[in-house]
């Protein structure tokens, strides 16, 4: 079954030399082009996650400033795509549909952590590079706003003045606003001004798993009302009641999908695996195993229509309404 995955961190798996061929085939990663083809993917969103200097050291990599790292990542993905006959870049709905009609998988670019998007001009520059989604924050405060946090005071803080401008501008030029990792206050600020659908690219239900990265019932309803989508995150700690859980199980995924569908309706559900950004014992270990989830949902009573909405139709609608 064709599917769209709204989030993976696979670019992180490529070493300093920028070996773009590792995006095509890399047994050490959870996602590569070959396995996307094997699993009949329609589109994969590739996140450019902005590590800080300490994270670069932990990964054994040389520190690269944000803008240089973004440009390097963009060029690396585009180069890898050129070296296949079954992948193609996509920047909007028409691109994606044209690629699909030509039996090609679409690759879309995102930035995880808007810390580098410090001006409207920078956002325009990223759009010109081909970036089509920005996750507004990661786990730290930036010029846009405040992140999810165990600190209730921080969780109540929202977008900064520039953050409001950034969201409005992203709506205007055709970039998806992503509220995964954002504080609760920031979420409600986005909801109050968004003129286009927005997404939580890789988040689950907080009622089922009380991690701050997950969404409350009210948030699920708001994203649905705004015409947005919520991408199921496969990370163990976002799936279970015990947020120290290390086992990502299909049964838990189905629980979250059923819950989100019941709260927000079947038009809000989507996929955001977070492959190559998550750890633990993964029952679905990579893109090649995505059909396991779809088969399990069929056995759980999901109709073909519901499956198609989850796997690709909901995100196609969001992409059509937002991206330019």
């Amino acid at each position: 079954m064709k599917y769209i995955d709204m989030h993976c961190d696979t670019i992180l798996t490529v070493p300093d030399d920028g070996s773009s061929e590792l995006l095509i085939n890399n047994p050490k990663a959870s996602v590569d082009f070959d396995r996307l083809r094997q699993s009949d993917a329609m589109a994969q969103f590739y996140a450019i996650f902005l590590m800080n200097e300490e994270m670069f050291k932990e990964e054994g990599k040389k520190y690269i400033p944000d803008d240089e790292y973004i440009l390097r990542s963009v060029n690396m993905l585009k180069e890898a795509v050129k070296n296949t006959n079954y992948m193609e870049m996509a920047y909007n709905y028409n691109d994606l549909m044209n690629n699909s009609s030509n039996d090609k998988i679409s690759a879309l670019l995102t930035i995880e952590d808007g810390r580098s998007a410090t001006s409207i001009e920078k956002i325009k520059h990223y759009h010109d590079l081909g970036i089509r989604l920005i996750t507004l924050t990661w786990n730290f405060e930036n010029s846009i706003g405040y992140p999810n946090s165990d600190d209730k005071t921080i969780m109540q803080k929202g977008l900064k003045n520039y953050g409001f401008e950034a969201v409005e501008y992203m709506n205007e030029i055709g970039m998806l606003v992503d509220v995964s990792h954002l504080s609760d206050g920031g979420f409600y600020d986005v909801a109050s001004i968004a003129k286009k659908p927005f997404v939580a690219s890789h988040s689950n239900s907080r009622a089922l798993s009380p991690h701050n990265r997950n969404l409350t019932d009210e948030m699920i309803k708001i994203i649905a009302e705004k015409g947005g989508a919520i991408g199921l995150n496969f990370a163990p700690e976002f799936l279970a009641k015990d947020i120290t859980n290390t086992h990502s199980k299909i049964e838990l995924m189905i629980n979250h999908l059923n819950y989100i569908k019941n709260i927000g309706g079947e038009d809000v559900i989507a996929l955001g695996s977070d492959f190559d950004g998550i750890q633990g014992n993964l029952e679905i270990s990579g893109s090649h195993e995505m059909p396991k989830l779809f088969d399990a949902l069929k056995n759980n009573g999901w109709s073909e229509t519901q499956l198609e909405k989850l796997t690709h139709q909901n995100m196609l609608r969001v992409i059509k309404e937002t991206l330019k």
Side-chain angles (χ1 to χ4, degrees):
M1 178 170 281
K2 296 289 185 185
Y3 71 90
I4 298 172
D5 181 3
M6 227 192 312
H7 189 90
C8 77
D9 284 305
T10 305
I11 287 173
L12 284 175
T13 67
V14 179
D16 284 340
D17 61 4
S19 307
S20 62
E21 65 269 16
L22 287 177
L23 292 174
I24 300 171
N25 186 287
N26 184 0
K28 294 182 179 180
S30 292
V31 177
D32 61 28
F33 292 179
D34 287 347
R35 279 178 286 174
L36 288 172
R37 180 169 58 171
Q38 178 184 338
S39 61
D40 204 23
M42 177 179 281
Q44 178 69 58
F45 283 66
Y46 282 87
I48 303 170
F49 171 61
L50 300 184
M51 296 188 291
N52 57 33
E53 291 191 51
E54 183 178 337
M55 291 175 188
F56 272 98
K57 289 179 182 177
E58 289 174 356
E59 292 287 324
K61 296 182 176 183
K62 177 184 176 183
Y63 171 70
I64 304 174
D66 288 347
D67 279 339
E68 182 183 339
Y69 183 71
I70 290 169
L71 182 59
R72 167 190 177 275
S73 299
V74 168
N75 290 338
M76 183 171 61
L77 181 62
K78 289 180 178 179
E79 180 184 352
V81 164
K82 286 180 182 177
N83 288 327
T84 73
N85 59 5
Y86 57 88
M87 296 284 299
E88 193 60 73
M89 298 300 301
Y91 306 103
N92 53 44
Y93 175 79
N94 288 338
D95 289 344
L96 202 154
M97 295 309 294
N98 287 337
N99 292 343
S100 183
S101 66
N102 291 318
D103 293 323
K104 292 191 175 183
I105 303 165
S106 292
L108 295 95
L109 280 157
T110 82
I111 292 176
E112 186 171 18
D113 191 350
R115 74 181 191 209
S116 64
T118 52
S119 68
I120 296 303
E121 291 74 22
K122 290 287 286 292
I123 296 175
K124 172 67 164 58
H125 170 63
Y126 296 147
H127 186 271
D128 290 344
L129 284 178
I131 305 297
R132 287 299 180 269
L133 175 152
I134 295 178
T135 307
L136 298 182
T137 61
W138 188 58
N139 292 344
F140 303 103
E141 174 188 352
N142 62 26
S143 63
I144 292 174
Y146 294 84
N148 74 100
S149 174
D150 291 328
D151 185 326
K152 292 182 179 179
T153 301
I154 293 175
M155 274 293 259
Q156 291 172 356
K157 293 183 178 181
L159 298 180
K160 298 180 179 179
N161 289 338
Y162 167 65
F164 285 96
E165 294 178 33
V167 168
E168 290 175 338
Y169 185 67
M170 288 171 67
N171 279 177
E172 179 184 333
I173 65 170
M175 293 181 81
L176 262 171
V177 175
D178 180 16
V179 297
S180 284
H181 287 284
L182 194 60
S183 65
D184 289 358
F187 175 95
Y188 289 111
D189 283 342
V190 169
S192 72
I193 62 167
K195 295 182 174 64
K196 297 282 182 68
F198 63 92
V199 300
S201 68
H202 54 304
S203 295
N204 298 334
S205 162
R206 201 179 294 179
L208 297 188
S209 179
H211 198 290
N212 291 325
R213 276 274 288 100
N214 286 335
L215 302 163
T216 65
D217 288 5
E218 185 178 28
M219 292 173 176
I220 291 169
K221 291 176 183 177
I222 289 172
I223 294 176
E225 289 165 1
K226 289 286 186 176
I230 298 165
L232 175 74
N233 192 318
F234 294 9
E237 62 270 32
F238 301 152
L239 288 170
K241 276 289 186 186
D242 177 5
I243 62 173
T244 65
N245 172 49
T246 58
H247 296 273
S248 175
K249 298 180 180 180
I250 292 174
E251 178 185 1
L252 296 175
M253 296 179 192
I254 292 175
N255 289 344
H256 279 268
L257 288 173
N258 280 329
Y259 189 88
I260 292 169
K261 176 167 63 69
N262 290 338
I263 295 295
E266 57 191 42
D267 292 338
V268 78
I269 48 176
L271 300 167
S273 67
D274 208 359
F275 280 144
D276 292 315
I278 58 177
Q279 296 178 332
N281 183 8
L282 309 179
E283 190 169 358
I284 298 178
S285 64
S287 52
H288 59 296
E289 294 186 322
M290 286 292 253
K292 285 183 178 181
L293 175 60
F294 311 147
D295 290 341
L297 287 166
K298 286 179 187 176
N299 293 333
N300 192 256
W302 279 48
S303 68
E304 196 72 17
T305 297
Q306 290 171 328
L307 279 169
E308 288 181 347
K309 286 185 176 186
L310 166 71
T311 55
H312 62 281
Q313 286 185 353
N314 289 341
M315 274 310 299
L316 284 178
R317 171 182 49 78
V318 171
I319 288 167
K320 186 175 185 179
E321 292 180 17
T322 57
L323 299 190
K324 296 179 183 177

